Amino acid sequence: NTVVAERNATARCYPASTTKIMTALVAIENITDMSDTFTMTYAITDPLYIEGATVAGFSNGEAVNMTDLLYGTILPSGADACVGLAIRLAGSEEAFVELMNEKARELGLKNTNFTNVTGLHNENNYSTAYDMALLGCHALKNTVGHRGRPPYNIA
């Protein structure tokens, strides 16, 4: 937890796909049953395809469990998985983004604001290298998928 080097650490930048770290973190904290499913729809996948977003590749009508949506969010950086989690857990992407911004404030991310769950460009979806480092440290303490213990020894 010591900064050993920094350059423009508090300058605003667009977090792009690193937004998905917060998406996954908030999802993990709100999932009550990893076997719950969400059915993917064209209403989710088509706009993402048009936008040129990276997707995990879930198909219309496919029932996807929470575990696979989390993996889809982080491993292939799938926007479809992110939106599916948001809708399943909060009812809409907008409502989920509110949870993300609440979590950002809780973690002390002072120069961060989210407008979507995917990191697709939006002038008001911003962070700083410093805030993303804080988020990363917190996310590494997550125990989901690591047999109940953090994967790294983070103080």
Side-chain angles (χ1 to χ4, degrees):
N1 291 323
T2 301
V3 176
V4 294
E6 70 177 76
R7 181 175 177 195
N8 299 324
T10 58
R12 270 192 192 175
C13 58
Y14 301 114
S17 282
T18 58
T19 296
K20 294 175 178 118
I21 297 168
M22 181 64 88
T23 301
L25 180 63
V26 171
I28 287 166
E29 292 179 353
N30 286 278
I31 293 171
T32 57
D33 182 354
M34 293 298 251
S35 64
D36 277 350
T37 61
F38 175 78
T39 302
M40 202 57 62
T41 67
Y42 284 130
I44 294 170
T45 59
D46 284 2
L48 295 171
Y49 176 77
I50 291 167
E51 184 79 27
T54 302
V55 295
F58 298 116
S59 302
N60 181 56
E62 182 177 357
V64 187
N65 68 40
M66 297 297 106
T67 301
D68 289 343
L69 287 175
L70 285 170
Y71 281 126
T73 295
I74 296 298
L75 297 178
S77 192
D80 50 350
C82 296
V83 176
L85 283 169
I87 292 170
R88 175 66 179 85
L89 297 172
S92 69
E93 183 174 8
E94 295 78 15
F96 194 88
V97 167
E98 289 180 28
L99 297 175
M100 292 169 62
N101 285 318
E102 286 173 21
K103 186 67 177 180
R105 287 188 294 279
E106 176 187 317
L107 295 176
L109 309 185
K110 296 177 182 160
N111 296 299
T112 296
N113 186 68
F114 297 105
T115 60
N116 61 62
V117 297
T118 61
L120 289 171
H121 183 73
N122 180 299
E123 295 267 331
N124 292 314
N125 195 68
Y126 59 82
S127 191
T128 65
Y130 183 83
D131 279 4
M132 292 310 283
L134 289 176
L135 174 60
C137 285
H138 184 76
L140 286 172
K141 295 176 184 178
N142 157 47
T143 60
V144 171
H146 296 282
R147 296 184 184 94
R149 65 184 186 284
Y152 304 99
N153 185 13
I154 304 287

